[in-house]
Structure formats: structure tokens, C-alpha cells
Amino acid sequence: MPFTQYSRRAFSRVIGQSLAFAFAAPALRARHGMDPAPRPTAPPQPAKIHLNFNENPYGPTPKALEALSSCGHAAARYPDGAYEDVRDALAAMHGVKRENIVLGCGSTEILRAADMAFLAPGQSVVAAEPTFEAVLNVARVARAVPVKLPLTADHRHDLPAMAAACTSKTGLVYVCNPNNPTGTIVTREELADFFPRVPSTALILVDEAYFHFAENPQYASVIDRIGKHPNLLVARTFSKIYGMAGMRLGYAVGSKETIAAMKPQILADNGNAAVLPAALASLADDDYVATSRARMNATRRWLADELAKDGRSFIPSEANFMMIEMGTDVQPIIEQFAARNILVGRRFPSMNNFLRVTIGTQPEMEAFVATLREIAPARAAKAA
């Protein structure tokens, strides 16, 4: 039968009656004392243990949480004053001026802005392999050329090789220190030797996201070297030690000229009325930062001891994560952990036998070690 105008009207009437019944059925059942139709419910799922994104499992300082809860009606206004207050607080902490500080939506925006400001199509960005990939990913979008140098035998940046790879076409050199994903460092003196060997026309971007966790006495920030090396930019974040990964706030410290060049690449109004007061509270709570660092580093040492007891090889870390040699491609192991509700780091193509695990709370790490021993018995471990 052809679908005529009459048949369309009839079809619409049937559909309308069906929908009316569907909406009226609950009321009819209630009117006649009938129980509503039972709905199937999924069984409760066990909580996942997140050991995959290098977050602080203890969260923000209580003072930051108080600042968040007090935001209230301030959310209705643009937080221009708070934005400058945070810049001033950071400037005071680092012994620079407000003009030397720029804020970002996480340090990821800082890295993107640096790429966009200092890389032109056809220029190169020199970095280690592996390292945090945001700079390299944005460089590709900007049609720049990534130049990746393998790590040394002890999984550290090969700074002499990176310096040698720089040319007149190099626009940016990226050093993540401590490095993600290896957790290794280059020393302050090694960097001091490295800086003059990079062309002054190239930006040297040192990412200190994991600065607070490093304990090696040869490690130190290079923020105080900016006056001597105007092409040096240092990135920091509130996502790690300050426990504010979900709030998205990072910053950079650089010369007045470098910060001015980056500002056009920074999203306007990128700080919000909740995160900025929380950041100010965090900066004022040195005791909480010290406590978080002590707790996570103690758990990191505990994990290293347990791995050593099992005869497993791992890369000594100066960050809040660790790379463990598994002796085989780690992707199936990652999936087995996920099936047991433990999320660990992804597979890194250039180090596909290494499993990266974030340092969680002590009970979380005990659960990780127990599961590791179940999934991959220690006798299967190989030397790094």
C-alpha cells in the first residue's frame, strides 16, 4: 500500500496514541496501586586506582579547598584582580617582576604558546626521545620539524647531542627536567654548560613540572639563570605537587621580551575565579607542599625497595612516577591492570618494555605491587 497522506495521518495517530500511553502508564499504575515496572540495575563497580597521569593523590592543600568553597558570587565576575595577584605572588616567590610571569591553562598551554611564538614553519624543535610530547605535537601543527635525540644509556637527556643538533633553523629546544616518562634529571651544572652551546636565536624551554619531587643534591631549578640567558624560559604547573590537575593552571618564568612574545598566543581570560584564589592559598602553604612531597617520595622509595626485593629492574626516579622494566611489550600488562581496576601509564613506543606507574597513596601502591606480582611474576623481569 503506498504511503499516502491518509496513511501518514493514520501512522501519526497510532504513534501519538502509543506515546500517550507510554507517558500515562506510570500514573495509571500508581492510581491503581500497581508497583512500577522494575528496572535492571548494574552492580556497583569497584573504585579504580588511578596511577596513570602523575597526579597528586592527596589533592590540594586544605587552604586551597577553603578558597574554592569560598568562591561564591565571585564566579559572576571576571577575576582580573586575582589573576594579577597570582602573577605578583609567583614573581615574589621567584625573585622576578610581574612582567616575567605568564599564566596558562595548565602548563600545556604554556608549552603550546611557546611553540607558536618561537617556531615558524620549517624551523626545528630539538627534544629528547622519549619526553613529554606536548611541545612536539604542537610543533607538528605549526609545521615545524621535530628533531628527537635518544636518551643516554642511563635514560637521561643527551645534552651534548642535543646541542650539536641545533642549527640556525632551530627555533626551540625542550628539556623536561625531571623528565617525563623516565623520572631522570640533568644536573644544574650540566645545564649551565649546555645553555651557551644553544644558538641565542633559539628558545630554551626547561619544563620543571616535577621540580618539587627531586631530591638529588645536584638538581636545582634554573629560574635564576634567566637573567644570564634571555632565551631561557622555565615552565611550572599547579597540577603536580599542588594537587590541582583538574583545575588547570600553569605558568612560565622568562625574560620580559620572551613573556611579551608569548602573550599573544595565550588565551584571553584563561584563569578562572575558583582556581586563582586556590593557587594563592597553595603558594602560601609551604607546610602542605613539604608534607605532600615527603609522603609521595617515601612511597616512591618503598616501591623501589619492593621492586629490588623482587629482582626487578627499574629507572631510579626523581619524580612522582617510576618506569619499571617488564622484559616484554607492556601493552597487554597495561590491559591486565585495567581489568583489575588499576590504571597505569600508557605504552611509550621507544621504551615499549617499560611500565610507567604514578606514585599513589601507600595503600594504592601496595595494591599495585600485589597485582604486579600476580600479573608478571618477578622471575620474568629482565635487566634494564
Side-chain angles (χ1 to χ4, degrees):
M1 177 180 177
F3 196 66
T4 63
Q5 184 175 353
Y6 171 79
S7 63
R8 286 197 297 271
R9 285 198 300 268
F11 177 74
S12 298
R13 186 164 56 249
V14 171
I15 292 298
Q17 291 170 346
S18 299
L19 289 172
F21 178 78
F23 283 109
L28 290 171
R29 284 196 297 266
R31 183 182 301 170
H32 293 283
M34 298 169 63
D35 292 332
R39 296 182 179 180
T41 57
Q45 297 297 313
K48 287 182 171 60
I49 296 176
H50 292 263
L51 306 176
N52 51 335
F53 288 142
N54 303 339
E55 299 148 330
N56 181 344
Y58 301 106
T61 161
K63 293 180 181 179
L65 293 175
E66 182 180 353
L68 287 173
S69 65
S70 302
C71 177
H73 291 293
R77 304 294 180 187
Y78 291 110
D80 293 358
Y83 190 94
E84 299 307 334
D85 288 344
V86 171
R87 290 180 69 200
D88 287 341
L90 291 168
M93 183 172 75
H94 294 302
V96 297
K97 298 179 180 179
R98 179 193 289 183
E99 65 193 19
N100 301 115
I101 303 287
V102 66
L103 305 185
C105 183
S107 60
T108 306
E109 186 183 19
I110 294 296
L111 304 186
R112 185 200 64 79
D115 268 13
M116 300 306 292
F118 293 97
L119 285 176
Q123 286 190 303
S124 68
V125 52
V126 175
E129 171 60 32
T131 193
F132 185 57
E133 295 171 337
V135 164
L136 298 174
N137 291 338
V138 175
R140 294 183 182 96
V141 174
R143 292 182 293 167
V145 181
V147 177
K148 298 189 286 187
L149 282 301
L151 299 175
T152 62
D154 56 351
H155 309 290
R156 301 167 66 239
H157 280 68
D158 190 339
L159 292 182
M162 292 175 66
C166 292
T167 70
S168 60
K169 292 186 176 181
T170 300
L172 189 148
V173 181
Y174 177 66
V175 179
C176 188
N177 192 35
N179 187 40
N180 179 12
T182 58
T184 53
I185 65 163
V186 286
T187 69
R188 178 178 169 88
E189 292 310 311
E190 287 171 332
L191 284 169
D193 180 65
F194 172 70
F195 292 156
R197 300 172 64 187
V198 175
S200 60
T201 52
L203 181 75
I204 305 171
L205 174 49
V206 178
D207 188 343
E208 294 183 350
Y210 301 97
F211 159 81
H212 295 90
F213 301 102
E215 296 180 313
N216 189 317
Q218 294 182 295
Y219 175 86
S221 174
V222 291
I223 288 176
D224 64 343
R225 298 289 180 99
I226 290 170
K228 186 175 181 180
H229 302 284
N231 62 328
L232 173 62
L233 180 74
V234 179
R236 291 279 188 92
T237 182
F238 284 84
S239 295
K240 306 306 175 184
I241 194 68
Y242 294 112
M244 294 168 57
M247 297 298 293
R248 312 309 303 131
L249 185 66
Y251 67 96
V253 188
S255 69
K256 176 182 177 180
E257 293 74 19
T258 296
I259 297 301
M262 290 176 62
K263 279 188 174 180
Q265 307 300 332
I266 294 287
L267 182 68
D269 302 318
N270 64 346
N272 64 71
V275 70
L276 294 169
L280 280 173
S282 298
L283 293 173
D285 199 346
D286 292 338
D287 289 343
Y288 186 81
V289 169
T291 299
S292 287
R293 167 181 167 158
R295 293 173 78 179
M296 282 185 280
N297 283 0
T299 303
R300 183 183 70 197
R301 288 190 291 272
W302 175 88
L303 175 61
D305 289 344
E306 293 301 304
L307 296 173
K309 288 177 186 176
D310 288 350
R312 297 183 191 274
S313 183
F314 57 91
I315 301 175
S317 173
E318 293 286 340
N320 67 329
F321 54 85
M322 187 175 289
M323 288 280 264
I324 305 169
E325 166 64 43
M326 300 305 298
T328 186
D329 191 292
V330 297
Q331 189 57 44
I333 297 172
I334 292 170
E335 293 168 2
Q336 291 180 68
F337 270 106
R340 292 161 174 80
N341 289 303
I342 299 178
L343 306 181
V344 293
R346 63 178 177 82
R347 176 184 183 272
F348 292 85
S350 62
M351 298 182 72
N352 57 17
N353 286 0
F354 283 82
L355 182 72
R356 192 192 70 182
V357 56
T358 299
I359 303 302
T361 66
Q362 185 67 27
E364 288 174 339
M365 299 316 295
E366 290 171 4
F368 166 79
V369 169
T371 305
L372 176 64
R373 288 166 175 162
E374 174 190 342
I375 291 174
R379 62 178 177 274
K382 294 183 179 180

